[in-house]
Amino acid sequence: MTQAVLRTTRLELVPLSLEHRAFTMMLDTDAQVMKYIGYGKPLDHQQAIEVHKWLLQAATLVPGFGCWVGFAGGDFVGWWVLAPCQSDGTPQQFSNDRAEFGYRLLPKFWRQGYAKEGSRELLKYAFQDLGLSEVFGETMAVNVASRAVMAACGLKHAYTFHNKYDNPPPGIEEGEVRYRITKGEWTSLVPVQFQQLVGRQAHTSTVEDTEAPVTVNAAPYDKEAGVGSTQNNTTTSDDDTSLPSETAQRGVKDMEAVTLSWSRAALASVLIIIWIYVLANGFKYSILASLTPYATSSFQSHSLLTVIDIVASAMTSAVYIPMAKMLDVWGRAEGFLVMLGFATLGLILMAASNNLPTFCAAQVFQSVGFGGMTYSVDVLAADVTNLRNRGLAFAFTSSPWMITAFAGSKAAEGFLEHVNWRWGFGCFAIIIPVVSFPLYVVLKVNLLPGVVLFAAGLTVFLLPFTLARSAPEGWKSDYIIAMIVVGFCLLVFFVIYQVYLAPVPFMKHTYLLNRTVLGACLLDFVYQMSYYCWNSYFTSFLQVVNNLSVAEAGYVNSTFQVVSGVLLFIVGYLIRRTGYFRWLLIVGVPLYIFAQGLMIHFRKPNGYIGYIVMCEIFISIGGSVFILCMQLAVLAAVDHQHVAAAMAVLFVSGSIGGAVGNAISGAIWTNTFEKALVRYLPESSLSNLTNIYASLPVQLSYEVNSPERIGIQKAYGYAQTRMLAAGTGLMVLSFVAVFMIRNMNLRNMTQTKGVVF
C-alpha cells in the first residue's frame, strides 16, 4: 500500500516529496534542532540533501512506510517517519512488520504538544492500518525530553547501548537508549485511558509528560534524526491530546471518554440521531407556532400571546445555568433525559388544557424541556467536533429545518381542518420521546437558590410590560410598580449570589468578563430582542392582512428555517476555509438591519407578499450568520471544561433578549392595536370590539375587502410597523457587540479530544 495522508486535530501529515526538500533542509541546518543528532552540529548543504534523499527512499523499501511532512494551518511544523529496519538474520531484507519511528520539529513549535500528537497518529497508522507488530525509537540517554515524548506515546525503555564515534557529540558517553511498543501494548492503552478519564486512576505528572522531539537513524551523519533538549522539558499533561483531562468535571470526563474510545461510525451515528431529533423538533415547532394562536383564541385570549412567551422565555433562560452544571457534573445523557421528561409533560398538559393559566403553565414545561434538550444537543455537538469543523457540524444538524418549514405548516392546517389543535400538541408527546431516547442510550453505553432568584426576577420584571395595559390604573397600578421593583431587586440579588455567595459559581469570572464572551452574548441578546419585538404576531398578521391560509402563513414564517438550512453549510464552509468568523458578522449585521427596515415599508394591508418574503430571506441570511458565529465565539473563548457553561451564558442572554423583545412587543400591541381598531373599524362593528381584539378566528371571519376586514388590517399595520421600528432601532447595538468579539483564527485552536469531526 502507498503512504496515506494522516490528520490529527491540528496537524495534516502529507507524504514527503521532492518539493518538500527546502523544509527538511531547514531542519537539518538548524543548530537547535541538531543538538542531539549526528555530531551535535548542523549539517552542511550537501549533507542535508543526502538526508532528504534517504527519507524519500524510505517510502520505496516497504509498502506504507516513509516520511510525512506536518503542517498546522498551512505552516510547516516538521516531519515524522516510519523507517524500515533490517530483518533479523537477513541483513539484505527489510522487515514488513517492524519499524523505527522518529521526527524533527522546528523550534518555534516545541512545547506545544505537536511531537506527541504527530507521533501518536503515526503509531495509530502503524498498528491499525499497516498491522505492524512492533515500533521502536532511539535517542541519546541524556536527551531526557525525547525520552519523555516516547514514554508519553506508550513506548517503554527496552535497553541502553553504546556505539563508538570518531567525533563523539557531548553526552554520548552516557550511551543511547531504545524504546519500544508492541501492537498488544498499544491496543491496551485505550481502556487504561478510559479508566483515567472517569477518575478511577490517579495521574501524577512526571518527566514523561514533557514535550520534545525524537526520531531515527536517517543518514550516515545521523546517529538520531530526532531533536530535543533537556531545556525543552515542560510538565504539561494538558497538551496530551490523546489522554483525557484529569481536572475536568465528571460530565466532561465521561464525554471525552466516549470520544476517545468510539469509532468514526459511532460518531456518525450520533450526528444522525441528532439530525433525526432536530427533524422531529422542527415539526413540533412549526406545527405549534401555527396552532398556538388558535389555542389561545379558544380561551378568548389571543392578545395575551406574549404573556405566555414572556413567562416561558424567562423560565427557559433560568434553566440554562443549572443545565450547564448538570451536564458537567451529572453527565450529558442524564441532563438530556431530565429535559426530555419536562418537554413530554408540557406537551401532554398543553393538549389537555382548558384555560389560559393551564396552557401557560404547560407552555413553561414544554419550553423549558425543549430549551434544555436543544441546549444539550448543542453542547454535545461541540463535544464531538473541533472548532474548525464545528460550523459545518452545526449546519448539518440544523438542516432538517428546511424540511419542516413546509411540511410542518401544512400538517398544522390538516390538524385544524380534520382533527383539532389539541392533537397537534398531543401527538408530539409520543413522537419526541421515541426519537430522542436513542440519543440518551448512545451517551449512556448546589445551584437552586440562584435558579429561583433568576427565574423569579426575570419573570416578575418583564410581565408588567404586557399586563400594564389591562391593569385598573395602567402603569400607576400598585402591583405593576411592585412587580418591576421586586423583579429588578431579585435580578440584582442573583448577581450578588453568583459572585459572592454561590458555593460553586457556574462559570469562572475570567470567562464571564472575557470581551469575546460578552460581545457574543450582547449580540445574541440584541438579535433576539429585535426579532421578538415583531415576530409573535407575524403569522396572525399574514393571515389577516395578507389573506394567507394557515399553511401559507406557516411557509412564509418558516423562510428562516429554509434559508438557514442551506446557508449554515455555506457559512460553516467559509469559516473552515478562512479560519475566521468575525468578518461574516461585519457583513451580516448591516444586511439584517437593512432587511428589517424594509419590512416597515412593506407592512401594508393587502400588500404584495413577495416583498415580505424577500425581506424574510435577507433577515434569514443575517440571522444564520449570527447563530453560527455567536456560538463559535463563546466556544473559542473558553476551554473544553467550560463549554457547557459558556453555551449556557449565551443561551441565557438570547432567551432574556427574546423575553425583553416579547415584553416590548406586548407593550406596543396592547397599547396600539385596540386603539387602532377603535379608529379604523366601522361604527357598526365596535359592539364586537372585545371579541375582535381577543380572537384570531373572529378577525378572519370577516370577508376580505369588507370594511371590517380592512379596518382590522389597518390596525394590524399600525401596530406592526411600530413593533418593527422598535426592533430595527435596537439592532444598532449589535455593531458594538461585533467589535467586542476578537478576530480569532480557529485553525490554530484545538479544544476536543479523540475521534471528533
PDB file of all heavy atoms in Angstrom, residues 482-497:
ATOM      1  N   ALA A 482     -44.878  47.399  41.807  1.00  0.00           N
ATOM      2  CA  ALA A 482     -44.233  46.464  42.734  1.00  0.00           C
ATOM      3  C   ALA A 482     -43.520  45.344  41.972  1.00  0.00           C
ATOM      4  O   ALA A 482     -42.397  44.945  42.331  1.00  0.00           O
ATOM      5  CB  ALA A 482     -45.271  45.876  43.685  1.00  0.00           C
ATOM      6  N   MET A 483     -44.142  44.842  40.920  1.00  0.00           N
ATOM      7  CA  MET A 483     -43.524  43.755  40.142  1.00  0.00           C
ATOM      8  C   MET A 483     -42.210  44.209  39.506  1.00  0.00           C
ATOM      9  O   MET A 483     -41.223  43.470  39.495  1.00  0.00           O
ATOM     10  CB  MET A 483     -44.487  43.254  39.067  1.00  0.00           C
ATOM     11  CG  MET A 483     -45.671  42.463  39.622  1.00  0.00           C
ATOM     12  SD  MET A 483     -46.898  42.056  38.365  1.00  0.00           S
ATOM     13  CE  MET A 483     -46.005  40.809  37.439  1.00  0.00           C
ATOM     14  N   ILE A 484     -42.183  45.419  38.967  1.00  0.00           N
ATOM     15  CA  ILE A 484     -40.963  45.924  38.336  1.00  0.00           C
ATOM     16  C   ILE A 484     -39.845  46.073  39.365  1.00  0.00           C
ATOM     17  O   ILE A 484     -38.700  45.653  39.146  1.00  0.00           O
ATOM     18  CB  ILE A 484     -41.238  47.269  37.634  1.00  0.00           C
ATOM     19  CG1 ILE A 484     -42.200  47.061  36.452  1.00  0.00           C
ATOM     20  CG2 ILE A 484     -39.938  47.901  37.145  1.00  0.00           C
ATOM     21  CD1 ILE A 484     -42.633  48.340  35.773  1.00  0.00           C
ATOM     22  N   VAL A 485     -40.184  46.670  40.527  1.00  0.00           N
ATOM     23  CA  VAL A 485     -39.171  46.893  41.569  1.00  0.00           C
ATOM     24  C   VAL A 485     -38.672  45.566  42.143  1.00  0.00           C
ATOM     25  O   VAL A 485     -37.461  45.334  42.267  1.00  0.00           O
ATOM     26  CB  VAL A 485     -39.749  47.785  42.688  1.00  0.00           C
ATOM     27  CG1 VAL A 485     -38.756  47.881  43.850  1.00  0.00           C
ATOM     28  CG2 VAL A 485     -40.081  49.167  42.157  1.00  0.00           C
ATOM     29  N   VAL A 486     -39.599  44.673  42.476  1.00  0.00           N
ATOM     30  CA  VAL A 486     -39.213  43.384  43.063  1.00  0.00           C
ATOM     31  C   VAL A 486     -38.408  42.560  42.062  1.00  0.00           C
ATOM     32  O   VAL A 486     -37.390  41.948  42.418  1.00  0.00           O
ATOM     33  CB  VAL A 486     -40.458  42.607  43.522  1.00  0.00           C
ATOM     34  CG1 VAL A 486     -40.083  41.186  43.927  1.00  0.00           C
ATOM     35  CG2 VAL A 486     -41.133  43.327  44.684  1.00  0.00           C
ATOM     36  N   GLY A 487     -38.852  42.542  40.796  1.00  0.00           N
ATOM     37  CA  GLY A 487     -38.125  41.792  39.771  1.00  0.00           C
ATOM     38  C   GLY A 487     -36.708  42.293  39.599  1.00  0.00           C
ATOM     39  O   GLY A 487     -35.753  41.502  39.516  1.00  0.00           O
ATOM     40  N   PHE A 488     -36.535  43.617  39.566  1.00  0.00           N
ATOM     41  CA  PHE A 488     -35.198  44.193  39.413  1.00  0.00           C
ATOM     42  C   PHE A 488     -34.316  43.840  40.612  1.00  0.00           C
ATOM     43  O   PHE A 488     -33.142  43.458  40.444  1.00  0.00           O
ATOM     44  CB  PHE A 488     -35.308  45.716  39.269  1.00  0.00           C
ATOM     45  CG  PHE A 488     -33.983  46.414  39.164  1.00  0.00           C
ATOM     46  CD1 PHE A 488     -33.281  46.423  37.967  1.00  0.00           C
ATOM     47  CD2 PHE A 488     -33.425  47.051  40.258  1.00  0.00           C
ATOM     48  CE1 PHE A 488     -32.047  47.046  37.870  1.00  0.00           C
ATOM     49  CE2 PHE A 488     -32.197  47.680  40.173  1.00  0.00           C
ATOM     50  CZ  PHE A 488     -31.507  47.677  38.971  1.00  0.00           C
ATOM     51  N   CYS A 489     -34.868  43.909  41.815  1.00  0.00           N
ATOM     52  CA  CYS A 489     -34.085  43.590  43.012  1.00  0.00           C
ATOM     53  C   CYS A 489     -33.666  42.125  43.028  1.00  0.00           C
ATOM     54  O   CYS A 489     -32.538  41.798  43.416  1.00  0.00           O
ATOM     55  CB  CYS A 489     -34.894  43.923  44.264  1.00  0.00           C
ATOM     56  SG  CYS A 489     -35.161  45.692  44.526  1.00  0.00           S
ATOM     57  N   LEU A 490     -34.572  41.235  42.609  1.00  0.00           N
ATOM     58  CA  LEU A 490     -34.233  39.812  42.572  1.00  0.00           C
ATOM     59  C   LEU A 490     -33.102  39.543  41.591  1.00  0.00           C
ATOM     60  O   LEU A 490     -32.215  38.719  41.852  1.00  0.00           O
ATOM     61  CB  LEU A 490     -35.472  38.992  42.195  1.00  0.00           C
ATOM     62  CG  LEU A 490     -36.546  38.855  43.280  1.00  0.00           C
ATOM     63  CD1 LEU A 490     -37.775  38.148  42.725  1.00  0.00           C
ATOM     64  CD2 LEU A 490     -36.010  38.104  44.495  1.00  0.00           C
ATOM     65  N   LEU A 491     -33.089  40.226  40.447  1.00  0.00           N
ATOM     66  CA  LEU A 491     -32.014  40.047  39.474  1.00  0.00           C
ATOM     67  C   LEU A 491     -30.687  40.555  40.037  1.00  0.00           C
ATOM     68  O   LEU A 491     -29.637  39.936  39.806  1.00  0.00           O
ATOM     69  CB  LEU A 491     -32.360  40.771  38.173  1.00  0.00           C
ATOM     70  CG  LEU A 491     -33.508  40.153  37.356  1.00  0.00           C
ATOM     71  CD1 LEU A 491     -33.852  41.043  36.162  1.00  0.00           C
ATOM     72  CD2 LEU A 491     -33.139  38.762  36.872  1.00  0.00           C
ATOM     73  N   VAL A 492     -30.722  41.659  40.760  1.00  0.00           N
ATOM     74  CA  VAL A 492     -29.501  42.178  41.397  1.00  0.00           C
ATOM     75  C   VAL A 492     -28.995  41.173  42.437  1.00  0.00           C
ATOM     76  O   VAL A 492     -27.795  40.883  42.526  1.00  0.00           O
ATOM     77  CB  VAL A 492     -29.763  43.547  42.040  1.00  0.00           C
ATOM     78  CG1 VAL A 492     -28.554  43.982  42.883  1.00  0.00           C
ATOM     79  CG2 VAL A 492     -30.066  44.587  40.970  1.00  0.00           C
ATOM     80  N   PHE A 493     -29.917  40.611  43.229  1.00  0.00           N
ATOM     81  CA  PHE A 493     -29.524  39.623  44.239  1.00  0.00           C
ATOM     82  C   PHE A 493     -28.946  38.377  43.586  1.00  0.00           C
ATOM     83  O   PHE A 493     -28.048  37.731  44.135  1.00  0.00           O
ATOM     84  CB  PHE A 493     -30.724  39.255  45.115  1.00  0.00           C
ATOM     85  CG  PHE A 493     -31.171  40.339  46.044  1.00  0.00           C
ATOM     86  CD1 PHE A 493     -32.490  40.423  46.462  1.00  0.00           C
ATOM     87  CD2 PHE A 493     -30.268  41.291  46.506  1.00  0.00           C
ATOM     88  CE1 PHE A 493     -32.907  41.434  47.321  1.00  0.00           C
ATOM     89  CE2 PHE A 493     -30.670  42.312  47.370  1.00  0.00           C
ATOM     90  CZ  PHE A 493     -32.005  42.383  47.775  1.00  0.00           C
ATOM     91  N   PHE A 494     -29.474  38.024  42.418  1.00  0.00           N
ATOM     92  CA  PHE A 494     -28.940  36.865  41.709  1.00  0.00           C
ATOM     93  C   PHE A 494     -27.465  37.089  41.364  1.00  0.00           C
ATOM     94  O   PHE A 494     -26.628  36.196  41.538  1.00  0.00           O
ATOM     95  CB  PHE A 494     -29.736  36.608  40.431  1.00  0.00           C
ATOM     96  CG  PHE A 494     -29.062  35.661  39.482  1.00  0.00           C
ATOM     97  CD1 PHE A 494     -29.021  34.298  39.735  1.00  0.00           C
ATOM     98  CD2 PHE A 494     -28.435  36.128  38.324  1.00  0.00           C
ATOM     99  CE1 PHE A 494     -28.399  33.417  38.874  1.00  0.00           C
ATOM    100  CE2 PHE A 494     -27.804  35.257  37.455  1.00  0.00           C
ATOM    101  CZ  PHE A 494     -27.785  33.900  37.733  1.00  0.00           C
ATOM    102  N   VAL A 495     -27.133  38.276  40.864  1.00  0.00           N
ATOM    103  CA  VAL A 495     -25.742  38.589  40.520  1.00  0.00           C
ATOM    104  C   VAL A 495     -24.866  38.535  41.767  1.00  0.00           C
ATOM    105  O   VAL A 495     -23.773  37.954  41.759  1.00  0.00           O
ATOM    106  CB  VAL A 495     -25.651  39.976  39.853  1.00  0.00           C
ATOM    107  CG1 VAL A 495     -24.194  40.357  39.619  1.00  0.00           C
ATOM    108  CG2 VAL A 495     -26.423  39.983  38.531  1.00  0.00           C
ATOM    109  N   ILE A 496     -25.348  39.128  42.861  1.00  0.00           N
ATOM    110  CA  ILE A 496     -24.585  39.111  44.111  1.00  0.00           C
ATOM    111  C   ILE A 496     -24.375  37.679  44.594  1.00  0.00           C
ATOM    112  O   ILE A 496     -23.281  37.305  45.034  1.00  0.00           O
ATOM    113  CB  ILE A 496     -25.314  39.941  45.191  1.00  0.00           C
ATOM    114  CG1 ILE A 496     -25.349  41.419  44.777  1.00  0.00           C
ATOM    115  CG2 ILE A 496     -24.640  39.777  46.551  1.00  0.00           C
ATOM    116  CD1 ILE A 496     -26.189  42.286  45.688  1.00  0.00           C
ATOM    117  N   TYR A 497     -25.413  36.859  44.489  1.00  0.00           N
ATOM    118  CA  TYR A 497     -25.302  35.461  44.923  1.00  0.00           C
ATOM    119  C   TYR A 497     -24.248  34.719  44.119  1.00  0.00           C
ATOM    120  O   TYR A 497     -23.425  33.983  44.685  1.00  0.00           O
ATOM    121  CB  TYR A 497     -26.667  34.782  44.779  1.00  0.00           C
ATOM    122  CG  TYR A 497     -26.630  33.305  45.092  1.00  0.00           C
ATOM    123  CD1 TYR A 497     -26.688  32.845  46.406  1.00  0.00           C
ATOM    124  CD2 TYR A 497     -26.525  32.357  44.070  1.00  0.00           C
ATOM    125  CE1 TYR A 497     -26.640  31.493  46.708  1.00  0.00           C
ATOM    126  CE2 TYR A 497     -26.471  31.002  44.363  1.00  0.00           C
ATOM    127  CZ  TYR A 497     -26.525  30.577  45.677  1.00  0.00           C
ATOM    128  OH  TYR A 497     -26.468  29.239  45.950  1.00  0.00           O
TER     129      TYR A 497
END
